[in-house]
Amino acid sequence: MFREKVELSTRYIAIIGNPNAGKTTLFNALTGLRQKVGNYPGVTVEKKEGKIIFSDGCSATLLDLPGTYSLTANSPDEKVATDVLLGRTNHTPPPNFVICVVDASNLERNLYLVSQIIDYHIPVVIALNMIDVAEKSGMTISSKKLGDELGVRVIATIASKKIGVDELKKIMQSNVTASLKARQWSLPKVVKEECDELQTMLQGTQHLSEADAFHEAIQLLTSPTALSEHLDRYAPELLEHVKKDHERLDILGIDRQSVFVESRYEWIKHVCEASREIKSQSFETTSDKIDKVLTHKIFGFVIFLALMAMMFQAIFSWANAPMEWIGEGFNELEKNVTALMPPGDIRDLTVNGALAGVGAVVTFLPQIFFLFLFLGLLEDTGYMARAAFIMDRLMSKVGLHGKSFIPMLSSFACAIPGIMATRTIENRKDRLVTMLVSPLVSCSARLPVYVLMIAAFIPQQKVLGIFSLPGLTLVSMYLLGLFAALIFAWIFKKTLLKSDAPVFIMELPPYKLPSLKTIIMHTWERSYLFLKRAGTFILGVSIVLWFLATYPKTERATPAEQLQQSFAGQAGRLIEPVIKPLGFNWKIGIGLIGSLLQREVFVSTMGTIYNIKDSDTQFSNLSLRQKMHDDIDPHTGVPTFTILTAICLMVYYVLAMQCMSTVAVMHRETNSWRWPIFQISYMTALAYGTTFVVYRIGLLLTA
Amino acid sequence: MEIFPRSLSETPVGKRVRIHQLESKPEVCHRLRELGFCENAIVRCVVNGEGNLICEVCNTRIGLNHSIAKEIIVSAFE
Ligand SMILES: Nc1nc2c(ncn2[C@@H]2O[C@H](COP(=O)(O)OP(=O)(O)OP(=O)(O)O)[C@@H](O)[C@H]2O)c(=O)[nH]1
Ligand SMILES: [Mg+2]
């Protein structure tokens, strides 16, 4: 009994299926985890493990995989899935069996993958998902009949409502086998003869299993490059044989490329007819009607821009009030702590180091919340795939295709998921270009820097009667990042990474009402991560910074002089000559050095050093932005910040690659140091150069 | 009288046609076939704007750009 349990717990079960079939939703329902779900193909691009515990206490490891349309992988994310399935990776053991998630509303295309899995004799159980969607579009599918046709067990599920999940669990505990039926789809007679012959030869000479030999034979018969590519792998006699086969089939007028796919679809048609009943068929669905407007060549673009404008409105205006509350809350807290604790270093550390640093960052929680909420809505309604579709025209102008736009949109949240999302791009060079430029798109970590600078220095004015100047400034910063990304994509595509214009083929899932629960949960999770980072990483950095900004202590110095003499002040003054041409002084230098780790650190650094500097005037009730606004160098009488410095600083942050995590992900995804180093170099040079130009022009204009 | 065969990109919205032949690069053709655009499949055009088009094949919508749509040759169905 005990042994059996151990054996079960080491069982490895993989979830596979077409993109957007509901694999992750099912994975979450089975494991209780909360992996990201979204209504567009390509949400999951990595394998994710989870533990599933059955009612009898046994457990097994479940693996969520990216979606794939077939076992011939076309892009890196599909390769992750097929490699696991065919046991071609060393990182994970071959799964004991797989759950194939089939989208019932789109049975034909989904069964294509199923037929390949059956051919490989992989033990499989089918989760016939989205039966609610299928019902709604007027078809009924009998899972019993489908199972009989395929020779495997089929469970009808609605993963998003956890329907059928228990039944699936029960089957997972039992012995799952490969299809009980032998390969059923049949090739035209001549093709079959050639294929069988080749398969026997391969089994003999290459010692392949029957399934592998069959697929290798298909590969050799269809692929136009098979002969030249495999020169060293196969014996000359075999290659000679393949060549003769090609000639024979070509003379008979058989299209070698299409015959295999067509034969499979022929069989699939039969399976569908036997198990599916179509009650009513509507040609134009609601989704189609919406698409006529949303993907229209002019309206589509206008609506996209309007949606973006709304997002910035939310971030800038709606988030303002909660931001003030949080700011006041922290101020209150600092005041109380100051009153409670005896004066001394410990109090300074707590108030000026920890609270000021963390508080400065946490005030931006509302903005982060709205940003994620908005992106979540785009993802869950199905609009994301449409955005890629609309933007394909623009992207093709710079030599990329619409799929490259999804990583850029994801980069509004963070460049890391953005870079991961490039795995759906088929062409290696196009993928690299997209990875190189995605961090130019303004991520959520830049948002606090922008908002702080804008709130402190950009006057509240109306432009053209309707737009507010601060709001416009924020939008300009985002646009600057996007334009830079597009321009550099074009440059890279023309020089370093030349390749043909890619083809755009993308599934557009039907629109659906967003599930508020999922979105709020996801938004909350991201906001929580932001808070957690503020409470751990930012807190640590703020404390270290407080030490660096307080020591060594100088006798009888004013706090301002003290700051200048401190380690941090010395470091800031050390780099001052380098940043002077951009209009930045040593205080900004401290922030720039700190934010090399992460961009938000700039804000916490400002929080800490301005609190230290002002600590002579008892407790000041001024907000950080006012302190920054009022800061004037006592010797020279020059203010640290002017509108121009604020703009220069924002421009610098738009373009500079100040994020160690992005470097790490680039290294992992490209498997080299060359590209991340290149990326840091070009972005830093770009940021420095552009800021310099902006500063010079600004000086001329204000002179 | 309509003239067939012609390219998918010339198909008006709402019209159903039958795929006759694919003329793209072999890898692209293979992918198209696996997605359901295989010979003899029935395709309906949902959106056909200036740049890209959306087609329905096997009950799913697939977005394509113009250059591939030009390489998909279709014949009459209705
Ligand atoms: N109506 C309905 N919607 C579902 C069902 N299962 C999943 N969904 C929705 O379908 C969408 C796609 O779900 P995911 O779980 O992200 O799909 P996936 O297969 O993991 O997709 P990729 O990771 O992109 O390959 C989400 O919006 C889900 O909420 C279902 O049974 N019925
Ligand atoms: Mg997924």
Side-chain angles (χ1 to χ4, degrees):
Chain A
M1 187 65 212
F2 184 69
R3 279 190 66 121
E4 215 179 291
K5 269 195 181 169
V6 170
E7 210 185 346
L8 265 181
S9 72
T10 55
R11 271 209 304 192
Y12 220 67
I13 305 165
I15 300 185
I16 192 158
N18 279 192
N20 211 45
K23 298 177 295 300
T24 306
T25 315
L26 187 67
F27 175 84
N28 289 347
L30 285 168
T31 59
L33 293 175
R34 285 198 220 129
Q35 290 300 332
K36 191 172 165 194
V37 165
N39 188 21
Y40 63 97
V43 180
T44 313
V45 290
E46 270 184 298
K47 47 187 174 217
K48 286 273 160 62
E49 270 182 21
K51 210 167 202 69
I52 170 166
I53 297 172
F54 298 110
S55 50
D56 60 357
C58 295
S59 64
T61 308
L62 201 61
L63 194 63
D64 184 26
L65 292 170
T68 181
Y69 293 110
S70 84
L71 293 183
T72 348
N74 252 313
S75 52
D77 63 328
E78 294 186 351
K79 196 163 169 351
V80 171
T82 54
D83 279 355
V84 169
L85 199 71
L86 302 176
R88 288 187 191 145
T89 160
N90 298 326
H91 304 294
T92 41
N96 296 75
F97 67 89
V98 300
I99 300 174
C100 185
V101 180
V102 164
D103 176 354
S105 66
N106 180 12
L107 203 53
E108 275 95 344
R109 217 234 1 254
N110 279 257
L111 286 180
Y112 186 85
L113 178 67
V114 173
S115 87
Q116 287 187 320
I117 292 175
I118 291 176
D119 281 357
Y120 268 103
H121 305 299
I122 297 170
V124 60
V125 36
I126 287 179
L128 185 64
N129 198 30
M130 307 229 188
I131 41 167
D132 53 334
V133 183
E135 286 282 342
K136 228 187 252 159
S137 61
M139 40 195 164
T140 331
I141 300 164
S142 151
S143 45
K144 167 95 183 42
K145 280 186 194 153
L146 184 62
D148 289 345
E149 287 292 328
L150 299 173
V152 299
R153 276 203 270 192
V154 177
I155 310 295
T157 60
I158 304 175
S160 49
K161 292 195 187 122
K162 300 203 172 159
I163 291 173
V165 170
D166 287 333
E167 204 180 333
L168 188 64
K169 268 191 178 176
K170 233 178 260 153
I171 292 201
M172 288 165 71
Q173 283 171 278
S174 67
N175 188 22
V176 175
T177 56
S179 170
L180 303 171
K181 291 188 164 182
R183 179 166 62 243
Q184 296 169 76
W185 58 283
S186 54
L187 287 159
K189 193 159 160 291
V190 226
V191 185
K192 185 168 171 8
E193 278 168 18
E194 303 291 5
C195 200
D196 285 347
E197 202 176 328
L198 207 54
Q199 183 188 335
T200 325
M201 280 177 85
L202 283 166
Q203 270 175 275
T205 56
Q206 308 292 127
H207 309 289
L208 293 177
S209 71
E210 190 222 313
D212 281 339
F214 177 66
H215 279 89
E216 199 70 51
I218 295 185
Q219 204 63 36
L220 283 170
L221 285 178
T222 52
S223 163
T225 52
L227 284 176
S228 49
E229 252 172 36
H230 297 308
L231 277 182
D232 44 347
R233 251 179 82 191
Y234 296 119
E237 305 89 71
L238 191 110
L239 291 176
E240 195 54 38
H241 185 95
V242 174
K243 211 159 144 197
K244 286 230 178 71
D245 284 348
H246 281 195
E247 280 162 13
R248 189 167 157 221
L249 294 177
D250 289 348
I251 288 171
L252 287 172
I254 290 171
D255 185 344
R256 284 181 286 116
Q257 315 235 326
S258 66
V259 69
F260 293 94
V261 186
E262 249 181 290
S263 308
R264 263 189 221 275
Y265 269 111
E266 209 44 57
W267 169 70
I268 288 170
K269 208 165 137 196
H270 157 80
V271 173
C272 288
E273 271 163 13
S275 54
R276 183 175 62 189
E277 208 180 304
I278 296 181
K279 282 177 289 195
S280 66
Q281 202 171 10
S282 66
F283 284 119
E284 187 162 65
T285 61
T286 321
S287 274
D288 292 347
K289 283 180 200 140
I290 300 175
D291 267 339
K292 281 206 172 133
V293 182
L294 289 193
T295 64
H296 186 274
K297 64 176 188 255
I298 298 159
F299 302 140
F301 218 80
V302 173
I303 291 170
F304 177 78
L305 290 181
L307 283 173
M308 289 290 123
M310 218 168 81
M311 177 165 103
F312 291 113
Q313 181 70 21
I315 289 175
F316 206 77
S317 314
W318 305 344
N320 226 358
M323 174 174 128
E324 307 258 296
W325 303 331
I326 298 178
E328 276 161 29
F330 264 93
N331 251 339
E332 256 336 274
L333 191 65
E334 285 173 30
K335 210 191 304 188
N336 290 339
V337 173
T338 315
L340 279 175
M341 290 173 78
D345 272 1
I346 301 286
R347 186 178 80 177
D348 283 353
L349 171 67
T350 320
V351 176
N352 298 335
L355 282 178
V358 173
V361 173
V362 170
T363 22
F364 297 100
L365 180 68
Q367 273 88 359
I368 304 283
F369 179 85
F370 275 112
L371 179 71
F372 283 113
L373 184 71
F374 205 83
L375 287 177
L377 278 173
L378 289 192
E379 286 173 353
D380 210 41
T381 47
Y383 188 75
M384 204 71 169
R386 272 72 183 186
F389 181 81
I390 301 167
M391 286 298 158
D392 181 66
R393 269 213 294 172
L394 178 67
M395 299 299 284
S396 65
K397 298 241 156 59
V398 302
L400 295 174
H401 66 43
K403 275 190 200 167
S404 292
F405 194 69
I406 291 183
M408 291 192 184
L409 264 183
S410 310
S411 294
F412 275 130
C414 173
I416 293 162
I419 288 174
M420 295 304 293
T422 61
R423 286 190 177 188
T424 58
I425 298 170
E426 304 88 354
N427 182 310
R428 193 188 69 88
K429 288 183 176 172
D430 290 345
R431 179 174 177 224
L432 249 173
V433 172
T434 314
M435 285 201 279
L436 284 174
V437 301
S438 284
L440 282 170
V441 175
S442 289
C443 62
S444 59
R446 282 156 166 125
L447 194 54
V449 180
Y450 298 163
V451 177
L452 178 65
M453 289 294 139
I454 290 175
F457 300 103
I458 306 296
Q460 266 295 351
Q461 274 175 13
K462 285 261 178 251
V463 181
L464 299 175
I466 41 169
F467 303 108
S468 75
L469 193 56
L472 274 186
T473 315
L474 184 69
V475 172
S476 323
M477 291 305 142
Y478 273 89
L479 285 181
L480 174 66
L482 263 180
F483 276 124
L486 290 178
I487 288 170
F488 273 83
W490 182 77
I491 293 175
F492 292 145
K493 222 15 232 220
K494 277 268 180 275
T495 54
L496 279 179
L497 296 157
K498 271 188 220 156
S499 64
D500 292 343
V503 288
F504 176 73
I505 309 174
M506 187 173 184
E507 184 178 348
L508 306 176
Y511 290 100
K512 68 178 188 81
L513 274 180
S515 143
L516 274 185
K517 199 180 124 222
T518 325
I519 295 178
I520 298 279
M521 200 113 88
H522 182 65
T523 309
W524 161 244
E525 226 151 75
R526 296 303 304 242
S527 309
Y528 172 75
L529 267 181
F530 173 80
L531 280 182
K532 200 171 122 189
R533 208 166 53 216
T536 52
F537 180 75
I538 302 279
L539 178 67
V541 173
S542 300
I543 290 173
V544 172
L545 188 87
W546 177 85
F547 274 107
L548 294 179
T550 311
Y551 294 98
K553 290 220 167 173
T554 336
E555 291 302 312
R556 277 191 298 281
T558 64
E561 286 164 358
Q562 165 67 46
L563 177 65
Q564 199 169 358
Q565 301 302 330
S566 69
F567 293 122
Q570 288 173 25
R573 280 185 303 155
L574 189 69
I575 67 156
E576 197 172 27
V578 184
I579 54 174
K580 194 108 207 184
L582 311 181
F584 304 155
N585 71 4
W586 60 271
K587 269 184 217 157
I588 301 180
I590 300 176
L592 286 181
I593 298 175
S595 68
L596 280 177
L597 297 168
Q598 212 168 55
R599 296 182 180 95
E600 296 108 317
V601 173
F602 179 81
V603 173
S604 66
T605 307
M606 291 295 122
T608 300
I609 65 178
Y610 277 96
N611 247 24
I612 293 177
K613 192 181 130 310
D614 283 2
S615 50
D616 51 342
T617 49
Q618 262 305 311
F619 184 80
S620 89
N621 231 340
L622 294 176
S623 68
L624 174 57
R625 51 180 122 139
Q626 270 161 325
K627 290 181 198 159
M628 287 168 61
H629 198 262
D630 302 342
D631 179 24
I632 289 173
D633 189 312
H635 301 300
T636 57
V638 181
T640 298
F641 290 97
T642 57
I643 294 192
L644 182 58
T645 10
I647 290 176
C648 286
L649 199 62
M650 284 191 279
V651 169
Y652 184 82
Y653 272 95
V654 171
L655 303 171
M657 161 114 170
Q658 302 230 325
C659 180
M660 286 305 140
S661 326
T662 308
V663 178
V665 170
M666 276 298 281
H667 168 60
R668 201 183 68 199
E669 291 295 298
T670 59
N671 220 341
S672 81
W673 281 112
R674 207 170 106 219
W675 291 111
I677 289 172
F678 171 71
Q679 188 172 35
I680 301 178
S681 320
Y682 101 81
M683 284 179 68
T684 312
L686 175 68
Y688 195 91
T690 314
T691 314
F692 180 77
V693 172
V694 171
Y695 183 57
R696 289 292 132 183
I697 294 176
L699 281 185
L700 282 181
L701 290 181
T702 49
Chain B
M1 222 11 243
E2 289 175 288
I3 301 159
F4 284 105
R6 63 179 179 199
S7 87
L8 181 63
S9 62
E10 293 160 53
T11 310
V13 171
K15 184 106 187 145
R16 291 199 291 164
V17 287
R18 186 190 292 277
I19 301 220
H20 180 68
Q21 203 180 343
L22 304 179
E23 295 183 339
S24 319
K25 280 183 289 184
E27 329 68 276
V28 180
C29 288
H30 191 67
R31 166 83 344 168
L32 282 169
R33 288 192 184 106
E34 288 184 332
L35 283 172
F37 285 93
C38 68
E39 279 78 355
N40 289 324
I42 310 300
V43 176
R44 186 172 60 90
C45 200
V46 180
V47 170
N48 190 351
E50 201 136 286
N52 296 342
L53 52 158
I54 302 178
C55 290
E56 181 204 11
V57 60
C58 308
N59 206 29
T60 17
R61 275 68 181 153
I62 296 199
L64 298 169
N65 64 5
H66 230 56
S67 56
I68 324 176
K70 278 210 190 98
E71 295 168 343
I72 300 175
I73 309 300
V74 295
S75 56
F77 171 69
E78 287 164 319

